[in-house]
Amino acid sequence: MTSVPSLASNVQQRLATALSAALPEAGSADPLLRRSDRADFQANGILALAKRLKGNPRELAGQVVAALDTESDGLLREVEVSGPGFLNITVSDAAIVDTLAARAADDRLGVPYATDPGTTVIDWAQPNVAKEMHVGHLRSAVIGAAMVKIMEFAGEKVISRHHIGDWGTQFGMLIQYLEEHPHELDHGRDGESSGEEAMSNLDRLYKAARAVFDSDEEFKTRARDRVVALQAGDPATLALWQRFVDESKIYFHSVFDKLDMEIADEDIVGESGYNDMLAETCRLLEESGVAVRSEGALCVFFDDIKGPDGEPTPLIVRKSNGGYGYAATDLSAIRNRVGELDARTLLYVVDVRQSMHFKMVFETARRAGWLNDEVKAVQLAFGTVLGADGKPFKTREGKTVKLVDLLDEAVDRATAVVGEKAGKVGLSPEEIAENGRYVGIGAIKYADLSTSAVRDYKFDLDQMVSLNGDTSVYLQYAYARIRSILRKAGDARPVPHPELTLHPAERALALHVDQFGEVVAEVAETYEPHKLAAYLYQLASHLTTFYDKCQVLSADNPPELVENRLFLVDLTGRTLSLGMGLLGIRTPERL
Ligand code: ARG
């Protein structure tokens, strides 16, 4: 019997500890433990250590092996020196099961708490008022929601900010038009409007306003005066503006609901929210010399940022007409997030095409002292969603695809897929509809999260809802199958039995389950949710191999074997469900 491992340590960590204990003189040398094809793990760190100690690596490896046997407390089955001084290490079955049993007793499944948590403000899901949401907004929402969950789970204090586009010159045109056509945003008789009605109202109004703006010079002048009135805080103008914001929020919330995502109203702090700070932001930048006047505008220059003509491209903080743009708002938001919200990290989930903007904004904030070694800003940049033709995703007529249409189509297809199997599982029509939503929306989220964010990906619904391959449906079926086995198990319960010999497929599955906590911790630090998706996919693949090789509920199995396999299957299911949940994807019990 091995000693009871602490909740936080997994097999790999226990092994690393044992290796360090075997060679105390190695001090803090990293044993460089990796999973290996030849054994469970390979330790490569002895080479570097031998160099440091000016010794022979194979001899040193031999000493480690000799010392390990006594130090390792039942952890090891076999250790051999290979090549110039690597160690191939096979751990004991008992150690694997014991370690997993300790992790299973903990709701966090071994996910460690961040060692030095602070506050992170995540800027995500930032659509624009009076505009339809498109696939770019989908990516920010999906990746942002996953990062919020993952970082919160890792113990970080997370504050969401939805930096919606709710300010700027186009509102002059919209407000003026509404002022002249006051009933354009009226709702039906019950006074309520659905998200779709809200958007179609806004869209109609936007097009109508644009048409007048483009054809009527006098309207254009009135619209420009409106912008001035808006920025000056004229109450009547603000009241009209607020109607656009409110109407848009109805629409946004309907889309986020469809996406099965929670967006809190108090976290929606759009560009307008920083209005009162803009003048001071400019004053601070100018007084400190970070920004200088150039042709009437207030600008920040950078040595390494030049336009196509070779001339330096400045960040314009205030235009020559006195107007403030996107940069002034973002700089003010940084001051607010660092100064008022006490953030130590600012994470921006924004399209890679805005990278230049953020590079300049972050550098400006650093020069101004708002960002420094203790307070950092990072853009989690994402690539473009492509159509089947490999070009940015558009309708056949070349228009931007409405996000809602895509979501609805995904749910329709998923419902068909779920419906085909529903008879066997005995699902009611309501359950089929619910599963269709979870599978369809999960498919879209997973497709987005399973490639590295900065890469473009093809939006291919057929592939996304396919039952085979790296899709969420595959993972959801793996989970449902686990639940079905556990239901069928009757009186047999999941109980770990460290005394049993594990089948290679069991070992592979168990050692993969063992890595969950470290993967989540890594993703929380590197902002790479695709690594969690990849981990979960491999988990489901190990599970498939395990089912192929090992019967769980066979009548031929002795009761301990059934219990131990149920234990493994149950823990795999909990891992899948927790991991998928962190990605924002549901795992129905029956599918
Ligand atoms: N509303 C912008 C857009 O639709 C994204 C805002 C990103 N966040 C920010 N702090 N600039 O492109």
Side-chain angles (χ1 to χ4, degrees), residues 123 126-128 137 163-165 271 326 330 337 348 350 354 357-358:
D123 187 310
Q126 323 96 332
N128 299 315
H137 297 125
H163 197 85
I164 60 170
E271 295 175 23
Y326 199 43
D330 263 324
R337 292 168 189 185
Y348 293 78
V350 185
Q354 293 191 29
H357 165 77
F358 283 108

Side-chain angles (χ1 to χ4, degrees), residues 123-132 137 162-171 174 206 241 244-245 248-249 252 268-274 326 329 354:
D123 187 310
W124 62 285
Q126 323 96 332
N128 299 315
V129 162
K131 288 206 190 123
E132 192 86 52
H137 297 125
H162 307 291
H163 197 85
I164 60 170
D166 63 355
W167 208 239
T169 47
Q170 77 274 22
F171 285 97
L174 291 171
Y206 195 98
W241 167 81
F244 284 99
V245 176
S248 299
K249 280 193 190 168
F252 297 155
I268 304 183
V269 183
E271 295 175 23
S272 67
Y274 306 96
Y326 199 43
T329 322
Q354 293 191 29

Side-chain angles (χ1 to χ4, degrees), residues 258-551:
K258 251 186 205 178
L259 276 168
D260 193 13
M261 240 174 228
E262 275 177 45
I263 304 273
D265 260 325
E266 71 259 28
D267 296 337
I268 304 183
V269 183
E271 295 175 23
S272 67
Y274 306 96
N275 206 30
D276 291 345
M277 300 177 73
L278 303 176
E280 185 169 350
T281 297
C282 289
R283 185 176 60 77
L284 292 170
L285 290 173
E286 195 170 6
E287 278 175 10
S288 59
V290 173
V292 292
R293 303 238 181 175
S294 169
E295 294 170 33
L298 188 63
C299 301
V300 183
F301 287 92
F302 309 88
D303 289 342
D304 55 340
I305 302 179
K306 298 205 170 63
D309 53 1
E311 289 295 307
T313 313
L315 182 73
I316 300 177
V317 198
R318 192 180 56 223
K319 291 180 238 170
S320 54
N321 68 5
Y324 303 103
Y326 199 43
T329 322
D330 263 324
L331 286 163
S332 302
I334 291 182
R335 288 177 52 218
N336 168 264
R337 292 168 189 185
V338 176
E340 307 293 320
L341 302 181
D342 217 14
R344 213 166 59 179
T345 309
L346 306 178
L347 185 63
Y348 293 78
V349 188
V350 185
D351 196 313
V352 68
R353 286 170 289 193
Q354 293 191 29
S355 289
M356 186 59 90
H357 165 77
F358 283 108
K359 190 177 169 203
M360 296 200 279
V361 165
F362 295 166
E363 175 59 20
T364 301
R366 244 187 307 275
R367 291 183 191 169
W370 303 328
L371 295 176
N372 51 49
D373 289 346
E374 267 84 59
V375 189
K376 62 171 179 165
V378 183
Q379 183 189 1
L380 197 179
F382 55 79
T384 307
V385 181
L386 306 173
D389 57 1
K391 299 208 185 95
F393 199 51
K394 292 271 154 67
T395 63
R396 230 175 274 159
E397 298 79 41
K399 291 210 194 106
T400 322
V401 183
K402 291 185 192 172
L403 181 52
V404 223
D405 292 348
L406 284 182
L407 302 183
D408 289 343
E409 194 178 339
V411 170
D412 284 349
R413 294 216 196 179
T415 309
V417 172
V418 171
E420 267 172 43
K421 300 203 168 204
K424 269 210 313 229
V425 202
L427 295 181
S428 69
E430 292 76 28
E431 287 170 316
I432 295 177
E434 182 174 84
N435 282 352
R437 282 199 307 280
Y438 292 161
V439 169
I441 296 302
I444 286 192
K445 290 183 179 176
Y446 188 85
D448 202 305
L449 291 166
S450 56
T451 42
S452 130
V454 78
R455 286 179 51 187
D456 301 343
Y457 74 90
K458 272 193 190 161
F459 196 95
D460 178 350
L461 277 178
D462 288 330
Q463 191 274 327
M464 288 180 193
V465 298
S466 151
L467 296 175
N468 305 310
D470 189 4
T471 61
S472 61
V473 204
Y474 172 68
L475 298 175
Q476 287 166 321
Y477 271 106
Y479 179 76
R481 185 166 175 197
I482 290 175
R483 300 306 295 170
S484 145
I485 291 177
L486 288 163
R487 279 193 301 272
K488 281 190 202 129
D491 288 340
R493 312 259 28 108
V495 181
H497 284 281
E499 73 280 8
L500 294 179
T501 304
L502 297 177
H503 185 280
E506 286 178 295
R507 293 178 59 86
L509 176 61
L511 283 171
H512 194 72
V513 170
D514 184 59
Q515 311 256 301
F516 178 66
E518 288 55 47
V519 172
V520 174
E522 183 191 342
V523 169
E525 268 172 35
T526 59
Y527 316 133
E528 294 178 309
H530 72 279
K531 292 200 171 153
L532 178 55
Y535 169 86
L536 295 170
Y537 175 59
Q538 286 158 10
L539 182 62
S541 309
H542 281 300
L543 185 70
T544 305
T545 315
F546 162 79
Y547 286 142
D548 271 358
K549 311 272 187 223
C550 307
Q551 298 262 1

Side-chain angles (χ1 to χ4, degrees), residues 19 22-23 36 38-39 41-47 50 56-69 76-90:
L19 282 169
L23 254 194
S36 153
R38 294 204 214 138
F41 296 94
Q42 190 174 60
N44 301 339
I46 290 176
L47 292 183
N56 174 318
R58 274 194 75 96
E59 257 169 42
L60 188 63
Q63 284 168 25
V64 175
V65 175
L68 259 179
D69 285 336
L76 303 171
R77 183 156 90 196
E78 199 187 332
V79 184
E80 56 167 36
V81 179
S82 89
F86 303 125
L87 293 184
N88 288 338
I89 304 169
T90 307

